[in-house]
Amino acid sequence: MKTSQEQYMTELLDRHFPSFTPELRDEIASVSEVRHIRSGEMMMDVGNYIKTVPLLIDGMVKIYREDEAGNELFLYYIYPGEACAISFVCSMRERKSNIKAVTESDCDFIVFPIKYMDEWMSKHKSWYYFVLETFNQRFEEVLKSIDEIAFHNMDERLANYLAKASGAAGSRTLAVSHQEIAQELNSSREVISRLLKKMEREDMIKLGRGKIEIIDLNVHVD
């Protein structure tokens, strides 16, 4: 007989992770809890050990790398119904994190102890396939980030960044500073400001105080 808490957890899992079998959902529900993290919080930092596995059910998380000088390289976003592949690797191998994860909005997670990771990989096919698909999806996104750095000039990278950020936020208006964009694209504020003003002259965007309104970027982001 399920407790009311377990029933609630099962319903959340059914809604956000429909690929999980009923047996897997029941097991997760019996050992997990919902955790709320406010917008702008650092939920994973370089050098941290990961003790719980987070499954996102509401909000958005940004994953990025940071070098010794504090320069950031954006890797990908995590949306509801998804998880971070790097957290899986660190969980299974008990390794320290080599990335940073920051909540871009108020977020809710289903979290459970890492000790269940290996057990469920062999016990539940739906969990095994979910982990593999997460690895594949994140690998593809990291490759796209590398391709942008290697094969695209900065104005193309900036347009792609704005398009991706707009899609992630579900809004044509982005509350982001030139300095924040420069950090994520590993550039300088002066370069980003110059390119943004050029894009404004070309009627691609409209600049405001602390915000950017997307008009027509004419780019396609997968």
Side-chain angles (χ1 to χ4, degrees), residues 22-35:
E23 294 78 14
L24 174 59
R25 288 197 293 268
D26 286 346
E27 287 204 39
I28 296 177
S30 68
V31 297
S32 62
E33 65 180 12
V34 174
R35 185 171 299 169

Side-chain angles (χ1 to χ4, degrees), residues 58-116:
D58 189 40
M60 184 172 65
V61 179
K62 180 180 74 174
I63 306 296
Y64 64 96
R65 291 269 288 168
E66 185 177 85
D67 66 15
E68 294 179 355
N71 298 310
E72 297 176 0
L73 175 62
F74 169 77
L75 297 177
Y76 52 80
Y77 289 111
I78 300 175
Y79 302 103
E82 297 180 346
C84 177
I86 298 174
S87 70
F88 284 164
V89 173
C90 295
S91 298
M92 290 188 290
R93 300 300 180 185
E94 296 185 3
R95 294 175 178 172
K96 293 181 180 180
S97 170
N98 55 8
I99 54 95
K100 293 193 173 188
V102 175
T103 52
E104 290 283 282
S105 60
D106 286 353
C107 292
D108 290 319
F109 299 86
I110 292 175
V111 298
F112 58 84
I114 63 172
K115 65 181 181 180
Y116 296 102

Side-chain angles (χ1 to χ4, degrees), residues 59 62 83 89 121 157 176 189 215:
K62 180 180 74 174
V89 173
M121 285 291 286
R157 290 179 59 200
V176 61
R189 185 188 184 282
I215 299 175

Side-chain angles (χ1 to χ4, degrees), residues 30-67:
S30 68
V31 297
S32 62
E33 65 180 12
V34 174
R35 185 171 299 169
H36 179 78
I37 300 180
R38 292 179 298 177
S39 177
E41 293 288 324
M42 179 78 69
M43 59 170 294
M44 188 187 307
D45 201 354
V46 174
N48 288 167
Y49 282 105
I50 299 173
K51 298 179 180 180
T52 58
V53 177
L55 303 176
L56 184 61
I57 57 175
D58 189 40
M60 184 172 65
V61 179
K62 180 180 74 174
I63 306 296
Y64 64 96
R65 291 269 288 168
E66 185 177 85
D67 66 15

Side-chain angles (χ1 to χ4, degrees), residues 152-165:
H152 293 214
N153 54 36
M154 185 54 71
D155 57 350
E156 291 176 314
R157 290 179 59 200
L158 177 57
N160 285 332
Y161 168 86
L162 293 174
K164 186 179 294 185

